[in-house]
Amino acid sequence: MNRPSTDRDWLERAAPSTKMERIEAFFRGHGYTPHRHDTYAIGSTLSGVQRFHYRQSMRHSLPGGTIVLHPDEIHDGEAGTEAGFRYRMLYIEPSLIQDVLGGEPLPFVPGGLSNDPRLLSATRRLLYSLHAALDPLEEDDAIYDLALALKAAAGKPRGRQAVDYVAAERARAFIHDALGGGITLDALVQASGRDRWSLSRDFRALYGTSPYRYITQRRLSEARNRLLAGQSLPDTALESGFFDQSHMTRLFTQTFGISPARWLRMIRNR
């Protein structure tokens, strides 16, 4: 992977994976506006000071630790010094963590930063190089280690202990099967066999976000793939399930902290 100039912000995406997104990026000043997504964001600052608001406090990430942003927690990002900062991050769906934990409440690291050596080691296995695709077996093995390291670093789980994992998984599978059309809470209730409020609570506990935002994220993931393939913003919006380009742009920015047009420019700057 060739290094872009550090005179401008840039973002590199690793080779595609069906399990997660991996990036490396550099920002000299402002990075992301406040946003939240439905994945874990886990990674490390490689150089400089990475500053972000998280759970009503300002955090400062330095090289040597691990950033752990929980799904659905609002955060932003900017350089803590004039030199800027460079970092690597992976974005992984909670469902993959649940494949290992088997229906436990999601591990939660309250401060967004961890010095736990087990978590640092597990994260580095997935981020040591972005030049080539991960071997599938290596990736699965590393995800298993990451899930256990998250659980160890988080300590006692927050939230309710009694959840219906099977019913929530049925609802999540239904979402993926029906993504091209309209999805209602009543349809999710019927698919899961769970009443709507219990399903909503269980879905949040197991996957870190609401069914609505989970659906939105899946559509935004489709939109990003279409944009990278060269499709126009208006066509992408309509074919990914949004009302129009303005609707997609608003939700894209709320989810990723950056507009789709700027995201494309940064990737093309590499």
Side-chain angles (χ1 to χ4, degrees):
M1 184 182 297
N2 295 324
R3 285 284 164 258
S5 166
T6 54
D7 292 334
R8 59 191 181 186
D9 298 344
W10 53 264
L11 186 150
E12 292 270 6
R13 300 180 89 206
S17 163
T18 59
K19 298 292 180 67
M20 69 186 70
E21 179 183 11
R22 299 181 300 146
I23 68 163
E24 183 173 335
F26 171 83
F27 289 96
R28 184 169 292 281
H30 172 74
Y32 302 99
T33 58
H35 64 286
R36 57 185 178 184
H37 33 71
D38 72 340
T39 63
Y40 276 107
I42 304 172
S44 299
T45 303
L46 303 179
S47 65
V49 180
Q50 186 171 355
R51 184 169 65 188
F52 58 97
H53 290 92
Y54 188 71
R55 294 179 63 78
Q56 290 80 53
S57 295
M58 177 67 80
R59 315 293 182 182
H60 296 82
S61 173
L62 302 172
T66 306
I67 302 168
V68 185
L69 305 181
H70 196 272
D72 228 18
E73 289 286 347
I74 295 176
H75 58 280
D76 56 11
E78 63 183 8
T81 68
E82 293 182 359
F85 69 96
R86 186 164 62 94
Y87 71 102
R88 285 184 180 173
M89 193 76 74
L90 65 88
Y91 300 89
I92 183 168
E93 289 189 28
S95 60
L96 292 171
I97 302 301
Q98 288 295 356
D99 286 345
V100 178
L101 300 183
E104 297 181 16
L106 284 178
F108 185 77
V109 178
L113 297 169
S114 175
N115 292 317
D116 191 299
R118 297 162 294 187
L119 188 55
L120 180 63
S121 176
T123 302
R124 282 178 172 172
R125 284 191 64 190
L126 291 163
L127 291 175
Y128 72 92
S129 174
L130 306 189
H131 293 271
L134 291 167
D135 174 88
L137 183 58
E138 176 190 17
E139 186 175 26
D140 286 341
D141 190 60
I143 289 171
Y144 180 87
D145 288 345
L146 179 64
L148 296 185
L150 274 172
K151 180 178 179 180
K156 184 179 179 180
R158 69 171 187 172
R160 302 184 322 141
Q161 296 295 319
V163 294
D164 191 332
Y165 177 48
V166 174
E169 263 296 289
R170 285 198 294 262
R172 196 178 70 85
F174 176 84
I175 288 171
H176 283 264
D177 290 340
L179 199 57
I183 302 174
T184 66
L185 185 55
D186 286 340
L188 291 177
V189 166
Q190 185 174 359
S192 68
R194 191 91 160 126
D195 74 85
R196 61 174 58 199
W197 305 125
S198 296
L199 174 62
S200 293
R201 287 194 300 267
D202 289 355
F203 204 96
R204 289 172 183 269
L206 292 165
Y207 307 119
T209 193
S210 69
Y212 167 73
R213 281 196 286 273
Y214 186 85
I215 293 166
T216 299
Q217 180 69 40
R218 305 285 72 72
R219 289 174 173 159
L220 287 171
S221 295
E222 173 66 17
R224 292 205 298 177
N225 290 335
R226 290 179 179 274
L227 291 172
L228 288 173
Q231 193 170 64
S232 70
L233 284 166
D235 288 347
T236 291
L238 293 177
E239 294 184 25
S240 299
F242 300 99
F243 297 131
D244 52 28
Q245 179 181 337
S246 176
H247 182 219
M248 181 187 73
T249 296
R250 176 172 59 84
L251 293 176
F252 193 106
T253 304
Q254 288 177 355
T255 299
F256 302 119
I258 189 172
S259 72
R262 186 186 177 206
W263 178 75
L264 280 173
R265 286 196 302 270
M266 287 179 61
I267 289 178
R268 290 167 181 167
N269 278 339
R270 67 184 186 274

